[in-house]
Amino acid sequence: MRKEDPAGWSDDYSVGIPEIDEQHKTLFELVNKIHDAISAHQGSAASREVMDQLVEYTRVHFALEQNLMHTGNFPGYKEHCVLHTNLIDEVVSMQEKINSGKVAISFELLHFLRNWLSKHILVEDKQYARYFNTHGHDQFSNWARRSDEAMKKQRKKWWKFW
Ligand SMILES: [Fe+2]
Ligand SMILES: [Fe+2]
């Protein structure tokens, strides 16, 4: 558990599943790191690096979320996967525009990323949250253990960034 919640995070974002909340907080932290890089005029290279981390971590997070929804027989599983594909497409296309110099890393980009992240959690992730909170967490315990192991492997890679 981290000492402080990242800026932008509040309990309103909680889906009631600690592992998922931690991952969402990490996504907010990465968006905050882009904010810090812009504010400190660290240049586009630093921001691009964080943007790459954000895309990679988003893929990891979506894969685990999809695993949870599938394992837990969430009825909106397929629709949620389509939303994830669209969200990844959006952020990858933003990343490509940045890398090709068509779009500058700016506060507008941050605004886009914050909206992209918070809207998906508050509107769409909350749907599986409601489902798991009304259907119990029994089927979820095995998944949680496996996801924890998977995240530990990922953290080795991520650790160097923090
Ligand atoms: Fe999520
Ligand atoms: Fe999601």
Side-chain angles (χ1 to χ4, degrees), residues 1 9-25 65 68 121-122 125-134 136-138 140-141 143-144:
M1 193 65 135
W9 172 266
S10 72
D11 285 344
D12 292 342
Y13 288 89
S14 176
V15 294
I17 301 166
E19 290 81 358
I20 298 287
D21 284 348
E22 285 304 308
Q23 292 183 5
H24 285 158
K25 285 178 191 177
E65 223 173 53
L68 163 69
I121 298 172
L122 290 174
D125 286 351
K126 286 278 184 177
Q127 290 178 356
Y128 73 68
R130 271 191 294 275
Y131 176 80
F132 284 114
N133 288 324
T134 49
H137 283 203
D138 288 354
F140 167 69
S141 58
W143 175 87

Side-chain angles (χ1 to χ4, degrees), residues 30-42:
L30 288 168
V31 173
N32 290 338
K33 276 177 83 171
I34 297 177
H35 176 270
D36 294 346
I38 297 172
S39 305
H41 302 290
Q42 284 174 4

Side-chain angles (χ1 to χ4, degrees), residues 86-102:
N86 294 343
L87 283 166
I88 283 282
D89 286 352
E90 262 178 39
V91 81
V92 166
S93 106
M94 183 58 82
Q95 186 188 30
E96 281 165 0
K97 281 184 199 152
I98 290 162
N99 289 344
S100 68
K102 282 185 198 147

Side-chain angles (χ1 to χ4, degrees), residues 115-151:
N115 271 348
W116 170 86
L117 179 61
S118 62
K119 199 176 142 277
H120 181 67
I121 298 172
L122 290 174
V123 179
E124 284 127 11
D125 286 351
K126 286 278 184 177
Q127 290 178 356
Y128 73 68
R130 271 191 294 275
Y131 176 80
F132 284 114
N133 288 324
T134 49
H135 290 78
H137 283 203
D138 288 354
Q139 72 273 61
F140 167 69
S141 58
N142 277 342
W143 175 87
R145 202 166 37 244
R146 273 188 286 126
S147 80
D148 207 40
E149 282 160 15
M151 286 309 291

